[in-house]
Amino acid sequence: MPRASKRKAAPPSSSVAAPPPDQSRKRTAKATSKPRLKESDQIDNLFDTYANRSLGEIDPEGIESLCSDMKVGYTDVRILMLAWKMKAQRQGYFTKDEWQAGLKALKANTILKLVKALSELKKEAESPENFEDFYLFAFKYCLTEEKQKGVDIESSCELLKIVLGSQFHSQVDSLVEYLKVQKDYKVINKDQWMGFLRFCKEISFPDMANYDENQAWPLILDNFVDWKKEKSSSR
Amino acid sequence: MSNQKKRNFQIEAFKHRVVVDPKYADKTWKVLEHAIHEIYNHNASGLSFEELYRNAYNMVLHKFGEKLYSGLVSTMTSHLKEISKSIEAAQGESFLEELNRKWNDHNKALQMIRDILMYMDRTYIPSNHKTPVHELGLNLWRDNIIHSSKIQSRLLNTLLELVHRERTGEVIDRGLMRNIIKMLMDLGSAVYQEDFEKHFLEVSAEFYKVESQKFIECCDCGEYLKKAEKRLNEEIERVTHYLDAKSEIKITSVVEKEMIANHMPRLVHMENSGLVNMLLDDKYEDLGRMYNLFRRVPNGLLTIREVMTSHLRETGKQLVTDPERLKDPVEFVQRLLDEKDKYDSIINKAFSNDKTFQNALTNSFEYFINLNARSPEFISLFVDDKLRKGLKGVSEEDVEIILDKVMMLFRYLQEKDVFEKYYKQHLAKRLLSGKTVSDDAERSLIVKLKTECGYQFTSKLEGMFTDMKTSQDTMQGFYASHPELGEGPTLVVQVLTTGSWPTQPSSTCNLPSEMSALCEKFRSYYLGTHTGRRLSWQTNMGNADMKATFGKGQKHELNVSTYQMCVLMLFNNAERLNYKEIEQATEIPAPELKRCLQSMACVKGKNVLRKEPMSKDIGEEDAFFVNDKFSSKFYKVKIGTVVAQKESEPEKQETRQRVEEDRKPQIEAALVRIMKSRRVLDHNNLISEVTKQLQQRFLPNPTEIKKRIESLIERDFLERDNVDRKLYRYLA
């Protein structure tokens, strides 16, 4: 998943190359001969596998190794959805409580089960009842600093692609193109973020015939519509 | 004798001789028939009313009412038939006269017959549902005379012919006409309308259609209207003289339709004489006539109003966008006031102060005055000019009149806050240079602005006046407590409260030592009595009066700006100074210093300094000397540059930007105010509420309002409703 570019320890923001896993961390293979542990204990054990000892939390590196174990890309939307399911508070980190809550809800106590659960999770997050909640979560998740109100343009674009790219491909492409050339706004705030989703859901595209700029759309979308219309007419 | 036979008294009815005579009815009728004949033959005098009445009475009593009635009908009918023949026989002119005469005769006869047959009228007729005698007489007349085939059309044509002749200027016998028409009216409104009025109106319509066509080809608008008015009056007069009053409205609408309504567009737009020309030439009489005529027809006044409005808008637009006019702001505004006066006059004198026209005037002015973004600035400059010198010697009443007119223009402005900004700047300059003609006039205008826009608008302006007054008192106190300073240069300080006056960043300036010492003394005096305040000298706004003696001994008193004073004082200690030296000594910023030197060295009549080389521009290496050859016919020479002027382009941009910045918090304040009281409101209503609240000061841009809303959302003052994204919610 994309990181906020302010993070000091982070490698370049758009993609994260996984550093070699810490040698101090050993993967505990479950010996089949061990007595059958309670599920919650298994979940805890799994947590310990990836957690940073000193922090007591899973940190970015841990998440990376989790991803590689699951054979899921770091920037895959399903990781974001996992964070959502866990109600994770801080980007790049999973606390023990979050981990437990998430995996319990997914009924996953092994990596295999977790991987299987991910596809179900995707459907769940994308369902009409949940999608808006997930969408909003994705935004808030990027607000790493305290009192941070907006996500920078670069990261917003990436996030849009991840979260909306599959459902609203052409809208996202256009929006991203616009966001990169416009100069009015340097960050996207929550109101604008939610506006994007509404736009994709309600406005026919690419004609945008039912867009009325006298309605309460955020100004950034008014400008986007004008820009797009001008572009199409000048062709 | 006592034996009286008792007898019953019986009073027996007086027995009439029973009429058994079968011929009784016939005989009685014959008498009556004969009487009717005599009446018609003007021989009524020989008849006995009493006898005839009795005969009629008897017939009815003995149940011969039927015979009597039908006899009456046939007798009268036959007489009328004869009468009809004699009328038909009348030639030419005498036709109507004959008809009239016979009608009068018939009426008299009818009267008498009715009297004779009164008993039948009251008994037999009602119970048998027959037509009463009088009415019967009229109906028979109608059927036998008026509707007779030989008379009907001849009558109509004669009447119409007479009307036509009168319309073409001939004199006709109006009395006769009146009688004939009255006859028709008496016969019933159906007769009047069917046999006369209907055709009269048709023919009139034709007549006026032709006439109006003829006129419009050969007359100009004013003349045509005169003719139309004349015709209208004629027709009204005609009705009073010989037609039914109810016809007035019908014939006038015919004339209105044919002469006015059908030709309205052509009249109004007639080249060289139409409405626009009348307006341009202040043709009050013609305009008044047009107004009175057009108001009679549907959309008449609307047409006038529309043409007037579009003409006014066009004229106004040209006025405010003409580059020539924009060179002189005072002229510009004067021209607008003149235009307003002109139209006020027209509406007053020609359009009877019609409110819809006044509104049209207001709308037009509002439209074009705001086409030019500099209107607020220019109006302020106009006021500035008047308050500086234009109102000198003008009576108090006239001053009020002029200020009221200016206020009217002010009301038309959309961007009143821009006006406020300029007004403040110009007022500051006026107050500080002491150049206002009348304090009362200034105050009066402030009061008017306050009435129009509320206390907030003028509180700062009033603050400026207060500062001036307070400063006077401060100066008095200062000199009272420092009597030793009476000998030296006189210092006059105006202490300005920062919030009230237009802000100007003050720059460095080294005052000459005499002045700086004095200034310091003042500073300590002031801060002694007002602790906690900070004073900063605004050297860019001051002025000085200096006495100077030149080479040939000529003495002058120079009125200069503070900067200029600093420069000149240097020459008390040096013959020649170059630019660099002056700059170093005074520390005045370069652009101001250059302007200051230019005004003293390069302007004819004010060149107290001499410059080498003599170019217009100030170069770094230029040298300056006192101009010993300086001369002026005036003792007092004014060199200062503190007069309010039309702003240059960059200055204008700056002011405009400051105004825009000031608007943002005002919009936000309005938004918060509205949402706080409504709690929940949808987008469109919010925009319109905000616009309504702010329109006294300026017209907010909806996009700007949206930006402010989003800013408030970001700062958690407002939020969008979860379900309906068009709603905003106030967050306490």
Side-chain angles (χ1 to χ4, degrees):
Chain A
M1 68 199 81
R3 289 180 179 171
S5 46
K6 280 193 187 156
R7 294 208 46 231
K8 290 156 198 145
S13 55
S14 48
S15 66
V16 186
D22 192 343
Q23 297 304 326
S24 64
R25 233 180 273 135
K26 296 221 166 64
R27 302 199 213 148
T28 339
K30 289 200 178 62
T32 46
S33 58
K34 279 203 181 152
R36 196 163 162 74
L37 292 167
K38 273 177 43 189
E39 272 198 16
S40 50
D41 291 337
Q42 283 174 310
I43 290 175
D44 288 350
N45 280 349
L46 222 40
F47 179 79
D48 293 334
T49 318
Y50 296 105
N52 180 321
R53 287 279 144 71
S54 44
L55 277 178
E57 291 182 357
I58 300 182
D59 69 2
E61 290 175 15
I63 295 183
E64 275 165 52
S65 59
L66 171 67
C67 287
S68 96
D69 285 350
M70 289 199 295
K71 298 200 179 23
V72 169
Y74 192 86
T75 52
D76 193 304
V77 68
R78 289 172 285 175
I79 299 299
L80 193 52
M81 289 173 176
L82 179 62
W84 169 69
K85 197 69 182 167
M86 291 185 194
K87 298 197 188 357
Q89 291 296 308
R90 195 168 151 213
Q91 192 183 54
Y93 294 82
F94 294 145
T95 66
K96 191 158 190 181
D97 291 333
E98 289 166 358
W99 177 266
Q100 284 173 338
L103 266 67
K104 265 209 190 92
L106 291 172
K107 298 199 189 352
N109 52 349
T110 63
I111 291 298
L112 240 59
K113 284 202 188 147
L114 187 54
V115 172
K116 281 218 188 85
L118 281 186
S119 38
E120 280 304 307
L121 178 59
K122 187 157 193 288
K123 288 208 197 90
E124 185 192 339
E126 282 175 355
S127 71
E129 318 89 75
N130 290 326
F131 188 69
E132 200 169 309
D133 189 61
F134 167 66
Y135 179 79
L136 181 55
F137 171 82
F139 179 80
K140 285 192 180 157
Y141 198 56
C142 292
L143 300 174
T144 46
E145 309 296 323
E146 211 188 303
K147 290 196 203 277
Q148 186 180 351
K149 292 268 177 165
V151 176
D152 66 280
I153 292 291
E154 189 74 45
S155 310
S156 304
C157 290
E158 288 309 306
L159 195 60
L160 274 175
K161 283 192 213 156
I162 291 178
V163 169
L164 292 180
S166 50
Q167 275 186 55
F168 301 107
H169 185 64
S170 45
Q171 285 95 321
V172 169
D173 279 350
S174 270
L175 262 173
V176 163
E177 190 190 336
Y178 172 70
L179 288 174
K180 290 196 171 146
V181 295
Q182 59 84 34
K183 295 190 183 45
D184 301 311
Y185 297 95
K186 302 235 167 25
V187 292
I188 298 295
N189 65 26
K190 182 177 132 198
D191 185 50
Q192 289 161 324
W193 177 256
M194 295 314 286
F196 293 150
L197 178 62
R198 234 178 95 214
F199 180 86
C200 291
K201 277 161 75 172
E202 292 175 22
I203 301 300
S204 70
F205 201 79
D207 56 280
M208 303 181 293
N210 58 337
Y211 186 86
D212 178 5
E213 73 175 12
N214 290 324
Q215 296 285 308
W217 293 100
L219 198 55
I220 196 175
L221 281 169
D222 290 344
N223 296 344
F224 166 67
V225 169
D226 286 340
W227 170 86
K228 180 112 179 78
K229 285 194 175 147
E230 225 183 274
K231 232 167 67 107
S232 335
S233 64
S234 63
R235 265 183 208 151
Chain B
M1 307 267 13
S2 60
N3 39 345
Q4 282 181 355
K5 278 199 191 138
K6 282 209 173 124
R7 259 199 262 184
N8 288 339
F9 251 113
Q10 273 186 330
I11 297 179
E12 289 185 2
F14 180 70
K15 285 199 173 91
H16 250 288
R17 253 182 297 146
V18 175
V19 176
V20 191
D21 187 352
K23 291 244 180 22
Y24 171 73
D26 284 335
K27 278 208 270 186
T28 320
W29 166 243
K30 276 281 180 297
V31 174
L32 288 166
E33 192 185 24
H34 172 75
I36 293 175
H37 284 319
E38 292 297 274
I39 288 170
Y40 271 105
N41 292 332
H42 304 113
N43 271 345
S45 51
L47 301 170
S48 157
F49 174 77
E50 194 270 330
E51 185 196 337
L52 295 168
Y53 181 88
R54 197 168 12 100
N55 279 319
Y57 172 85
N58 280 334
M59 278 194 80
V60 175
L61 195 65
H62 291 111
K63 314 264 185 274
F64 289 112
E66 172 73 40
K67 186 175 171 67
L68 179 57
Y69 191 82
S70 53
L72 171 66
V73 172
S74 57
T75 313
M76 210 181 261
T77 305
S78 71
H79 271 284
L80 289 176
K81 281 200 160 55
E82 271 181 45
I83 290 173
S84 172
K85 283 205 186 69
S86 86
I87 294 173
E88 285 161 29
Q91 296 289 336
E93 295 288 321
S94 55
F95 172 71
L96 279 188
E97 284 163 11
E98 184 67 8
L99 176 63
N100 189 36
R101 209 174 329 160
K102 292 291 186 230
W103 164 251
N104 287 337
D105 289 348
H106 174 70
N107 271 320
K108 286 202 196 91
L110 192 54
Q111 176 90 338
M112 287 188 245
I113 293 169
R114 208 263 313 266
D115 286 344
I116 293 170
L117 303 179
M118 200 177 292
Y119 187 72
M120 178 181 76
D121 225 4
R122 289 192 184 159
T123 53
Y124 171 77
I125 281 173
S127 51
N128 288 282
H129 307 295
K130 299 273 189 205
T131 317
V133 173
H134 181 79
E135 198 183 321
L136 176 68
L138 294 181
N139 290 349
L140 288 175
W141 175 270
R142 175 194 67 201
D143 296 335
N144 290 292
I145 311 287
I146 302 302
H147 287 169
S148 121
S149 56
K150 292 214 177 76
I151 295 185
Q152 191 173 27
S153 42
R154 188 172 169 195
L155 173 60
L156 177 63
N157 290 338
T158 312
L159 293 174
L160 294 178
E161 172 69 30
L162 284 173
V163 169
H164 184 82
R165 294 211 322 235
E166 196 177 44
R167 281 180 180 153
T168 51
E170 282 183 46
V171 177
I172 62 169
D173 184 344
R174 282 186 156 181
L176 181 56
M177 286 291 282
R178 184 170 43 245
N179 288 339
I180 299 291
I181 300 290
K182 183 134 194 331
M183 169 189 76
L184 294 175
M185 282 160 66
D186 288 343
L187 292 174
S189 61
V191 176
Y192 174 73
Q193 281 169 17
E194 283 304 312
D195 285 294
F196 172 72
E197 196 192 49
K198 192 170 84 177
H199 306 276
F200 166 69
L201 292 172
E202 271 170 29
V203 161
S204 304
E206 229 354 86
F207 174 79
Y208 282 116
K209 199 195 288 288
V210 168
E211 180 162 280
S212 65
Q213 196 58 40
K214 195 173 69 183
F215 281 169
I216 207 149
E217 300 290 340
C218 69
C219 298
D220 71 27
C221 183
E223 282 168 20
Y224 181 93
L225 291 176
K226 274 205 189 88
K227 287 195 185 344
E229 191 181 58
K230 187 158 149 276
R231 280 300 190 196
L232 201 57
N233 289 337
E234 271 175 31
E235 292 300 328
I236 294 175
E237 206 213 9
R238 177 165 295 116
V239 170
T240 13
H241 277 107
Y242 56 79
L243 298 179
D244 183 5
K246 290 199 209 66
S247 296
E248 182 178 311
I249 182 106
K250 297 181 196 174
I251 183 64
T252 48
S253 14
V254 165
V255 178
E256 286 156 12
K257 178 163 171 286
E258 295 301 329
M259 292 209 85
I260 301 172
N262 288 351
H263 296 285
M264 250 189 339
R266 188 166 167 184
L267 282 170
V268 157
H269 290 117
M270 205 176 261
E271 245 188 82
N272 296 331
S273 65
L275 177 60
V276 170
N277 300 81
M278 290 182 190
L279 290 172
L280 287 172
D281 295 336
D282 292 324
K283 290 239 167 31
Y284 299 128
E285 203 193 301
D286 286 342
L287 286 167
R289 187 170 297 119
M290 186 186 268
Y291 181 80
N292 284 328
L293 288 174
F294 279 38
R295 81 184 333 170
R296 291 167 164 268
V297 302
N299 293 331
L301 291 186
L302 181 64
T303 308
I304 300 182
R305 228 179 11 248
E306 281 178 354
V307 173
M308 183 185 93
T309 302
S310 73
H311 167 71
L312 192 47
R313 284 188 180 208
E314 200 39 53
T315 317
K317 184 162 156 196
Q318 277 175 19
L319 256 179
V320 303
T321 50
D322 178 4
E324 272 306 305
R325 296 224 177 269
L326 298 180
K327 289 191 181 149
D328 182 353
V330 178
E331 248 315 292
F332 173 87
V333 175
Q334 187 59 51
R335 191 67 186 78
L336 289 176
L337 289 174
D338 292 342
E339 198 69 10
K340 178 85 175 37
D341 277 342
K342 178 192 168 77
Y343 277 88
D344 278 340
S345 208
I346 289 177
I347 293 180
N348 184 343
K349 296 198 181 131
F351 297 155
S352 60
N353 275 329
D354 186 322
K355 211 155 180 25
T356 57
F357 280 82
Q358 281 172 347
N359 288 344
L361 178 61
T362 301
N363 289 340
S364 305
F365 263 81
E366 274 171 1
Y367 163 76
F368 63 73
I369 231 183
N370 289 304
L371 286 179
N372 184 346
R374 297 192 84 160
S375 292
E377 186 194 346
F378 285 3
I379 295 181
S380 180
L381 284 170
F382 178 83
V383 171
D384 182 75
D385 178 78
K386 289 282 170 238
L387 290 170
R388 266 177 196 278
K389 43 183 164 53
L391 292 176
K392 202 180 255 194
V394 177
S395 75
E396 224 179 272
E397 293 158 4
D398 288 342
V399 166
E400 284 296 300
I401 292 176
I402 293 181
L403 291 181
D404 282 332
K405 287 191 181 166
V406 172
M407 280 309 292
M408 223 152 29
L409 287 185
F410 170 78
R411 259 178 230 119
Y412 297 143
L413 287 176
Q414 249 170 21
E415 302 194 292
K416 294 186 170 74
D417 59 345
V418 174
F419 174 86
E420 190 198 351
K421 218 171 206 50
Y422 282 111
Y423 188 76
K424 219 156 108 160
Q425 283 174 18
H426 300 155
L427 177 64
K429 288 197 177 124
R430 280 201 301 278
L431 287 176
L432 292 178
S433 57
K435 283 267 183 298
T436 180
V437 149
S438 156
D439 229 22
D440 287 336
E442 295 272 4
R443 298 249 180 213
S444 170
L445 188 54
I446 304 270
V447 168
K448 290 186 207 294
L449 286 170
K450 184 147 80 163
T451 316
E452 188 63 32
C453 301
Y455 165 71
Q456 245 115 356
F457 197 89
T458 50
S459 60
K460 298 214 176 108
L461 302 175
E462 288 177 345
M464 289 159 80
F465 280 97
T466 314
D467 281 348
M468 296 300 290
K469 185 79 182 40
T470 314
S471 299
Q472 269 181 339
D473 296 339
T474 311
M475 286 321 296
Q476 276 179 352
F478 175 64
Y479 273 107
S481 60
H482 292 273
E484 77 282 7
L485 292 173
E487 293 300 316
T490 316
L491 177 67
V492 176
V493 180
Q494 271 114 7
V495 183
L496 315 176
T497 313
T498 313
S500 309
W501 295 74
T503 46
Q504 304 223 15
S506 82
S507 33
T508 50
C509 173
N510 289 342
L511 296 172
S513 47
E514 300 93 319
M515 295 313 298
S516 55
L518 196 48
C519 290
E520 271 316 301
K521 281 219 170 71
F522 178 83
R523 181 198 287 278
S524 30
Y525 167 77
Y526 186 82
L527 293 176
T529 41
H530 300 92
T531 46
R533 291 191 183 178
R534 209 173 48 186
L535 286 180
S536 52
W537 295 105
Q538 303 285 318
T539 45
N540 52 352
M541 288 163 89
N543 59 45
D545 291 327
M546 309 173 69
K547 286 210 174 74
T549 313
F550 290 87
K552 303 238 170 78
Q554 44 316 21
K555 291 191 202 279
H556 288 281
E557 190 176 297
L558 308 174
N559 174 256
V560 294
S561 70
T562 304
Y563 287 164
Q564 288 163 338
M565 171 198 66
C566 296
V567 170
L568 288 177
M569 290 295 281
L570 293 176
F571 286 92
N572 274 346
N573 300 323
E575 285 267 338
R576 165 216 163 100
L577 291 163
N578 67 25
Y579 176 81
K580 274 255 159 48
E581 292 169 323
I582 298 179
E583 196 183 18
Q584 256 175 354
T586 59
E587 285 188 39
I588 295 173
E592 271 84 33
L593 183 56
K594 288 197 176 142
R595 238 201 327 243
C596 160
L597 286 167
Q598 267 176 332
S599 61
M600 292 193 289
C602 308
V603 179
K604 202 162 158 231
K606 320 255 173 151
N607 48 343
V608 289
L609 291 181
R610 194 164 48 85
K611 180 167 92 77
E612 275 170 18
M614 297 247 286
S615 53
K616 269 260 171 192
D617 301 316
I618 310 285
E620 302 270 317
E621 299 306 321
D622 290 2
F624 293 87
F625 309 83
V626 173
N627 182 7
D628 288 320
K629 295 212 188 79
F630 174 75
S631 70
S632 166
K633 36 189 180 148
F634 302 109
Y635 172 63
K636 291 195 184 178
V637 182
K638 186 167 137 57
I639 313 185
T641 48
V642 212
V643 185
Q645 283 161 340
K646 189 165 73 125
E647 281 189 327
S648 62
E649 235 350 271
E651 285 174 329
K652 192 175 70 147
Q653 298 288 7
E654 213 199 298
T655 309
R656 168 70 41 181
Q657 222 175 351
R658 268 188 270 151
V659 168
E660 292 297 332
E661 280 305 310
D662 283 345
R663 286 180 180 175
K664 287 186 185 163
Q666 289 177 61
I667 297 178
E668 286 196 0
L671 281 166
V672 172
R673 239 192 337 263
I674 293 167
M675 289 307 297
K676 194 166 176 184
S677 81
R678 308 288 218 105
R679 307 244 76 120
V680 180
L681 193 56
D682 70 282
H683 179 82
N684 287 336
N685 278 327
L686 184 55
I687 301 267
S688 68
E689 285 280 333
V690 168
T691 307
K692 219 171 16 173
Q693 272 204 18
L694 293 172
Q695 74 184 23
Q696 271 295 64
R697 285 184 62 75
F698 62 93
L699 199 63
N701 180 342
T703 308
E704 193 54 50
I705 302 180
K706 227 191 202 184
K707 270 199 198 144
R708 295 295 106 222
I709 294 177
E710 289 182 15
S711 170
L712 288 173
I713 291 179
E714 210 175 302
R715 282 139 59 199
D716 293 324
F717 280 90
L718 304 176
E719 65 174 1
R720 286 190 209 269
D721 184 80
N722 277 329
V723 178
D724 182 356
R725 300 309 265 182
K726 288 198 294 291
L727 283 180
Y728 297 108
R729 210 177 274 281
Y730 182 70
L731 293 172

